[in-house]
């Protein structure tokens, strides 16, 4: 008669399965699959008490991938070519150096895991290398932390682009990112929601991003302020008060600048030249965070009769005449699954339903931005767009802290191909902007080829485009560029890469929060007559 396994043996079996699952996920990433497509299936395959450990082990291994890879090469007497063996050892090294897993557990369970991927013959090698690391973890952690944990081509490019910020930048990219919230102004405000978070015992603080933009002359400025919330510790969205009711969204701090910037410029243009209808374009809009933010701002303006929606005073007749703009907002993206994400996000936020009297028409299309041409809405009127927001495709190097698989998936050739794609989209959309209209170019890249150099080349090709400058003295984010402004994902206070505590019985990773937003680039262009 067989006996029931005791709880100790059950835990060991689960932990082995966790490591095997993480190893297989890392192997899939190295074959070209993205973390975003693999993470949920991984966590759903595990028991609740194992999810937090798997999440921490996977992301931490990715964040230190190239550092542990170089360390592995220095520890092995002969080259290790099998990707499965290398990956398994790197998972073990990560546990020993960065996750405070007990030596015996990290070594034994990792050695056992290698047997589950049909590589039992390598168990001796895995055991020997991990034991060597366990004897002096501080020495090997210091060695691994000495330099960057990036592919050499990317490190070299960052050094060329950001020599003064290079060390701080590359070390910051190895750490986790902060969690920021955008409060839906149609439902609440940041200060009120901060109180709700306090009642829910979620520590947070207000952050204010401010800028001024020189639209026409140095003396004429458009002032923009975005208030947001930074969580002291990241929490599941299910813990956020009224999240499913749409009161708040998770959105990086620097990503929250896009909608206020383009909307403030649009307000200025419409105020200077009142019109009954404005046409707007959000290009490459999925998954819809910036689009939702823009809709929220438009909804507030209409309900308050400000900005685009306003009452015009006719001084000559001393009467009030309503001059409320009709807004036609088109959002495009070329991937159907990502379009679905837009609808899901807008549904949760109850958008654009709160916009009263249906003064705003939203059209979402799955099209290719390199060739798409908007159809005129009125045959007898200028049908160009009054404002265009382009969240351009990029290598996403500015969000490596959130998506550490980027360092494994991107290649040097991808940068050139992406820059060419950006150029095609820019050249296709620019002719569809009205004279006097504004074009906001945004990327989540920190590579100058995709950002300031792209804009400089664009201005040379298009003589009807002029760069609109940010006022450096009145802007508290980013670094001034020859064209536009660059945000770097760098901590406000430099932190050491010490081991992270992990609760293996919890679904949550216990991590030191990061300060500062992701890497974003912003450039504003205005179309002029030639």
């Amino acid at each position: 008669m067989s006996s029931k396994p005791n709880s100790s043996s059950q835990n060991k079996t689960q932990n082995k399965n966790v490591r095997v699952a993480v190893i297989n996920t890392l192997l899939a990433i190295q074959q070209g699959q993205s973390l975003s497509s693999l993470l949920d299936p991984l966590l759903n395959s595990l028991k609740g008490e194992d999810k937090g450990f798997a999440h921490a082990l996977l992301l931490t291994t990715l964040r230190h991938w190239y550092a542990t890879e170089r360390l592995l090469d220095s520890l092995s007497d002969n080259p290790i070519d099998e990707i499965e063996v290398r990956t398994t050892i790197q998972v073990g090294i990560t546990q020993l150096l960065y996750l405070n897993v007990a030596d015996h557990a990290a070594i034994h369970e990792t050695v056992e895991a290698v047997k589950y991927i049909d590589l039992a013959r390598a168990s001796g090698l895995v055991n020997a290398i991990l034991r060597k690391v366990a004897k002096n973890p501080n020495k090997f952690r210091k060695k691994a932390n000495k330099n960057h944990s990036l592919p050499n081509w990317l490190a070299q490019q960052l050094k060329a682009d950001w020599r003064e910020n290079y060390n701080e930048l590359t070390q910051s990219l190895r750490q986790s990112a902060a969690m920021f919230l955008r409060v839906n102004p149609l439902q609440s405000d940041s200060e009120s929601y901060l109180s709700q978070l306090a009642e829910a015992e979620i520590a947070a603080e207000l952050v204010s991003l401010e800028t001024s933009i020189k639209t026409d002359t140095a003396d004429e400025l458009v002032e923009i302020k975005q208030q947001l919330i930074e969580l002291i510790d990241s929490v599941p969205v299910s813990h956020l008060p009224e999240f499913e009711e749409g009161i708040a969204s998770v959105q990086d701090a620097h990503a929250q600048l896009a909608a206020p910037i383009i909307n403030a410029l649009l307000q200025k243009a419409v105020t200077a030249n009142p019109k009954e209808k404005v046409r707007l374009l959000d290009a490459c809009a999925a998954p819809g965070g910036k689009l939702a933010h823009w809709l929220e701002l438009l909804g507030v303006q209409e309900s308050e009769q400000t900005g685009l929606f306003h009452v015009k005073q006719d001084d000559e007749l001393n009467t009030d005449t309503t001059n409320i703009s009709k807004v036609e907002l088109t959002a495009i993206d070329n991937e159907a699954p990502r379009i679905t994400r837009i609808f899901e996000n807008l549904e949760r936020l109850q958008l654009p339903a709160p916009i009263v009297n249906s003064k705003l028409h939203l059209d979402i299309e799955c099209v290719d931005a390199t060739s798409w041409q908007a159809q005129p809405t009125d045959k007898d009127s200028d049908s160009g767009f009054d404002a265009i927001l382009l969240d351009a495709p990029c290598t996403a190097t500015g969000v490596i802290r959130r998506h550490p698989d980027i360092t494994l998936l991107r290649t040097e050739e991808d940068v050139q191909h992406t820059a060419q794609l950006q150029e095609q989209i820019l050249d296709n959309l620019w002719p569809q902007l009205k004279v006097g209209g504004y074009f906001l170019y945004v990327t989540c890249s920190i590579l100058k080829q995709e950002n300031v150099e792209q804009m400089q080349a664009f201005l040379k090709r298009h003589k009807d485009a002029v760069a609109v400058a940010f006022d450096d003295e009145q802007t508290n984010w980013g670094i001034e560029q020859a064209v536009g402004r660059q945000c770097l994902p760098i901590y406000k206070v430099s932190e050491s890469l010490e081991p992270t505590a992990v609760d293996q019985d919890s679904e949550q990773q216990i991590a030191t929060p990061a300060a500062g937003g992701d890497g974003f680039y912003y450039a504003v262009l205005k179309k002029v007559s030639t």
Side-chain angles (χ1 to χ4, degrees):
M1 181 176 179
S2 62
S3 61
K4 183 178 179 180
N6 59 42
S7 59
S8 176
S9 64
Q10 283 180 321
N11 287 337
K12 287 182 179 179
T13 301
Q14 290 172 5
N15 284 339
K16 277 188 292 191
N17 290 338
V18 170
R19 289 167 174 83
V20 171
V22 169
I23 290 166
N24 286 331
T25 301
L26 288 166
L27 292 172
I29 290 172
Q30 292 172 81
Q31 295 300 317
Q33 296 187 54
S34 69
L35 176 63
S36 60
S37 68
L38 295 168
L39 185 57
D40 284 346
L42 167 67
L43 299 181
N44 292 336
S45 71
L46 300 171
K47 296 183 181 297
E49 61 269 21
D50 291 331
K51 294 179 187 289
F53 178 61
H55 186 270
L57 180 56
L58 175 59
L59 267 68
T60 306
T61 302
L62 287 169
R63 288 192 176 106
H64 301 288
W65 183 265
Y66 289 93
T68 59
E69 183 178 66
R70 290 190 292 269
L71 183 60
L72 170 58
D73 289 336
S74 71
L75 288 167
S76 55
D77 296 329
N78 298 303
I80 302 174
D81 297 324
E82 290 177 291
I83 186 174
E84 295 87 355
V85 177
R86 295 184 64 88
T87 300
T88 301
I89 296 174
Q90 287 181 247
V91 167
I93 292 174
T94 298
Q95 295 170 70
L96 293 169
L97 299 188
Y98 298 110
L99 290 180
N100 268 340
V101 176
D103 293 357
H104 68 276
I107 296 172
H108 176 73
E109 301 299 345
T110 304
V111 170
E112 288 297 301
V114 80
K115 300 175 183 178
Y116 281 76
I117 56 176
D118 299 326
L119 285 169
R121 57 182 168 73
S123 59
L125 174 64
V126 174
N127 181 71
I129 291 178
L130 294 184
R131 286 190 178 280
K132 189 182 296 186
V133 174
K135 286 181 179 179
N136 198 338
N138 291 332
K139 168 189 171 183
F140 290 112
R141 186 184 305 113
K142 184 177 180 180
K143 185 175 182 179
N145 292 346
K146 185 177 181 180
N147 298 308
H148 62 82
S149 185
L150 298 169
N152 287 330
W153 72 265
L154 180 55
Q156 291 167 5
Q157 189 58 60
L158 291 179
K159 193 166 190 177
D161 286 350
W162 306 107
R163 184 171 296 275
E164 293 183 2
N165 309 96
Y166 175 75
N167 289 331
E168 192 176 7
L169 174 59
T170 55
Q171 289 300 315
S172 291
L173 290 175
R174 299 176 67 170
Q175 302 185 51
S176 58
M179 185 172 179
F180 295 93
L181 303 179
R182 183 189 81 242
V183 178
N184 185 347
L186 294 168
Q187 296 192 36
S188 184
D189 58 74
S190 296
E191 293 184 357
S192 299
Y193 194 66
L194 191 68
S195 299
Q196 286 187 254
L197 291 172
E199 292 176 5
E201 299 184 343
I202 298 175
E205 61 183 11
L206 291 178
V207 177
S208 181
L209 297 178
E210 302 175 8
T211 190
S212 292
I213 301 177
K214 305 173 183 178
T215 55
D216 295 318
T217 67
D219 297 327
E220 188 172 8
L221 299 175
V222 172
E223 296 182 356
I224 300 161
K225 181 177 181 179
Q226 173 64 14
Q227 194 173 62
L228 51 118
I229 294 175
E230 179 179 0
L231 301 187
I232 304 305
D233 294 295
S234 296
V235 301
V237 294
S238 58
H239 293 187
L240 297 174
E242 299 184 72
F243 183 82
E244 287 304 320
E245 289 72 32
I247 195 171
S249 297
V250 177
Q251 188 179 34
D252 179 69
H254 294 148
Q256 293 189 43
L257 289 163
I261 288 174
I262 190 67
N263 202 57
L265 292 168
L266 180 63
Q267 285 185 49
K268 173 179 169 51
V270 171
T271 301
N273 182 24
K275 55 187 72 178
E276 292 185 0
K277 180 179 72 175
V278 294
R279 297 187 69 206
L280 315 177
L281 175 65
D282 185 348
C284 307
K290 298 177 182 66
L291 172 63
H293 195 184
W294 204 354
L295 288 169
E296 290 167 359
L297 296 178
L298 290 170
V300 168
Q301 289 166 7
E302 182 168 349
S303 63
E304 296 179 353
Q305 294 284 284
T306 61
L308 300 182
F309 306 93
H310 60 283
V311 176
K312 182 181 179 182
Q313 177 73 36
D314 189 329
D315 294 329
E316 188 172 339
L317 298 177
N318 197 27
T319 59
D320 291 338
T321 58
T322 302
N323 185 14
I324 301 178
S325 300
K326 306 288 184 179
V327 176
E328 292 182 357
L329 175 53
T330 302
I332 62 173
D333 202 273
N334 69 338
E335 295 184 20
R338 287 168 57 80
I339 291 285
T340 301
R341 290 278 308 282
I342 294 179
F343 284 108
E344 291 172 351
N345 286 329
L346 296 186
E347 182 179 5
R348 183 183 65 83
L349 292 166
Q350 304 174 50
L351 294 168
I355 300 178
V356 296
N357 298 328
S358 300
K359 295 188 180 73
L360 183 144
H361 174 74
L362 175 63
D363 183 29
I364 301 176
E365 301 181 29
C366 185
V367 296
D368 185 350
T370 64
S371 58
W372 173 78
Q373 295 290 311
Q375 297 299 315
T377 56
D378 293 320
K379 294 182 179 179
D380 299 328
S381 66
D382 179 4
S383 59
F385 291 104
D386 294 274
I388 296 177
L389 165 60
L390 172 58
D391 189 2
C394 66
T395 54
T397 46
V399 294
I400 286 174
R401 296 181 305 171
R402 299 183 193 281
H403 305 279
D405 57 320
I406 287 171
T407 61
L408 278 72
L409 298 175
R410 297 290 182 269
T411 66
E412 190 170 5
E413 291 73 22
D414 288 337
V415 181
Q416 181 63 34
H417 294 158
T418 302
Q420 292 173 351
L421 175 61
Q422 293 171 340
E423 180 179 319
Q424 292 171 357
I425 295 173
L426 283 163
D427 288 346
N428 180 58
L429 296 182
W430 181 255
Q432 302 182 59
L433 181 69
K434 290 181 181 179
V435 172
Y438 290 98
F439 193 113
L440 178 60
Y441 178 80
V442 184
T443 79
C444 58
S445 171
I446 51 177
L447 299 179
K448 291 190 176 184
Q449 185 174 349
E450 299 174 89
N451 297 337
V452 61
E453 293 174 3
Q454 180 72 265
M455 286 292 93
Q456 289 174 312
F458 178 85
L459 291 169
K460 288 182 179 179
R461 294 195 307 274
H462 297 271
K463 302 305 180 184
D464 57 349
V466 295
V468 179
F470 294 91
D471 188 287
D472 190 49
E473 293 183 358
Q474 299 188 50
T475 300
N476 66 352
W477 53 270
I479 302 170
E480 185 177 25
Q481 302 292 285
V483 180
R485 202 163 185 88
Q486 178 74 58
C487 303
L488 295 179
I490 292 178
Y491 292 84
K492 297 172 187 173
V493 179
S494 181
E495 300 175 12
S496 61
L497 295 169
E498 291 301 318
T500 298
V502 173
D503 181 355
Q504 297 190 38
D505 296 324
S506 169
E507 294 188 14
Q508 298 309 312
Q509 178 183 2
I510 304 170
T512 302
D518 288 334
F520 274 83
Y521 173 78
Y522 285 91
V524 177
L525 306 175
K526 184 176 182 180
K527 194 167 191 176
V528 297
S529 54
T530 55

